[in-house]
Amino acid sequence: MAETHEKLEHLSSENGLTRQVTVQMSAEQYERLFFQPTPPRGDLAKRLGNPTLLGVLGFLIPYTTTMMVLMEWRGTDSATSGTGLSGTYFFLGGIAMNIAGICEFILGNTFPFAVFIIYGSHWCNLGYLADPAHNIVGSFKGGATDQAYASSQGVYNVVMTLISFVLFLGSMRTNAPFCLALFCLIFVFSFLAAAEFAIGYATTPEALDHATYLIKIGGGFGFVTALAGWYLAINLALASTGIPSPLPTFDLSHLLFRKSQAATLERGRAEQV
């Protein structure tokens, strides 16, 4: 017998009375609430595993450690400790997320495919920059504080801010924790961009201290994203093995657009409700 999960919906009547309806969902339907509210094409989702958990954990491992570095926990240094995480960026952030993204593409899940590939490639980029074998930073005269290098990282973080904003808009039909994670990522990249620009123009120790302060603020927003991500990971891990989760999913798919309308926009064809 297929594992089922319960979804509770509250319906309101004109006289102000409310009633609670319990809807039974299969494990596949329950997992689909997290990142892809529109139905899949074909039956691959029934025959293959769900790659979403791999993508989320592949993101969280390097991300959580990076946010701890940005906030300079337990003696870490935001300017140099990233070098020690280059392997994590490549193999967990880069490879694991890109594998998950390719699997989402095979299953026909457009949105998680884009999310995993974009951020997975972002981790590869960070790993390449932090890897001493490539010595990217050393090729600039002033190192990490060189204006040309710092400004290049600043504009890159500006673009990642825009990417996160676009993905945040798309996540508004998934669930609240995922929305919150992407929303806070907008501020993470915004403050990192501001910090990089400040480093490039810093001429005094006080100016560098201000840039470090901006990085810590970005790390604070990032920590909220990490908490939301681990919340999702717990729900996904339990759903993948059929264990009922006590944590609500905060499904948003019924709040914006009707399901058939969303499917038409995403799939390019009308679908029956």
Side-chain angles (χ1 to χ4, degrees):
M1 179 180 294
E3 297 289 343
T4 60
H5 298 267
E6 293 186 349
K7 175 183 176 183
L8 301 180
E9 293 184 353
H10 294 276
L11 304 179
S12 300
S13 61
E14 295 181 356
N15 58 9
L17 297 177
T18 61
R19 60 192 180 98
Q20 182 172 284
V21 178
T22 300
V23 180
Q24 294 290 334
M25 296 182 293
S26 67
E28 291 80 8
Q29 291 173 322
Y30 182 74
E31 290 182 77
R32 183 160 297 282
L33 287 176
F34 293 100
F35 292 90
Q36 185 73 25
T38 52
R41 284 176 282 193
D43 62 348
L44 284 177
K46 298 178 181 178
R47 295 187 285 114
L48 302 178
N50 190 332
T52 307
L53 178 60
L54 172 64
V56 171
L57 292 178
F59 174 80
L60 285 174
I61 296 172
Y63 181 82
T64 306
T65 53
T66 300
M67 292 306 107
M68 293 178 180
V69 168
L70 293 184
M71 292 184 288
E72 299 187 347
W73 285 13
R74 301 298 296 175
T76 57
D77 179 46
S78 58
T80 59
S81 293
T83 302
L85 299 176
S86 59
T88 307
Y89 295 155
F90 277 125
F91 297 106
L92 291 170
I95 295 179
M97 289 195 70
N98 277 283
I99 290 175
I102 293 171
C103 292
E104 295 283 8
F105 173 78
I106 294 173
L107 294 175
N109 298 332
T110 304
F111 188 68
F113 157 66
V115 170
F116 291 152
I117 293 294
I118 290 295
Y119 288 115
S121 299
H122 167 71
W123 290 122
C124 288
N125 172 65
L126 288 186
Y128 189 81
L129 288 174
D131 190 352
H134 298 101
N135 196 29
I136 301 299
V137 178
S139 64
F140 290 85
K141 183 178 180 180
T145 59
D146 186 88
Q147 184 176 358
Y149 173 80
S151 296
S152 70
Q153 296 307 300
V155 295
Y156 170 76
N157 281 298
V158 168
V159 173
M160 288 303 298
T161 300
L162 297 175
I163 289 290
S164 298
F165 176 72
V166 171
L167 295 177
F168 164 71
L169 295 179
S171 71
M172 289 192 292
R173 285 200 75 246
T174 57
N175 57 80
F178 189 37
C179 270
L180 177 62
L182 288 171
F183 179 74
C184 288
L185 275 180
I186 297 172
F187 293 96
V188 173
F189 288 114
S190 296
F191 278 100
L192 290 180
E196 291 289 355
F197 289 130
I199 290 172
Y201 288 93
T203 57
T204 63
E206 290 76 16
L208 288 176
D209 288 341
H210 175 67
T212 302
Y213 181 68
L214 293 175
I215 292 174
K216 288 182 178 181
I217 295 177
F221 278 102
F223 191 70
V224 177
T225 292
L227 292 177
W230 286 109
Y231 184 97
L232 285 172
I234 292 172
N235 265 335
L236 285 166
L238 295 178
S240 66
T241 56
I243 300 175
S245 173
L247 303 176
T249 59
F250 298 106
D251 176 32
L252 302 177
S253 61
H254 61 288
L255 297 180
L256 293 176
F257 306 108
R258 291 174 61 242
K259 184 177 181 180
S260 59
Q261 293 174 331
T264 300
L265 291 172
E266 202 274 326
R267 303 292 179 183
R269 59 184 174 83
E271 296 190 10
Q272 298 295 325
V273 178

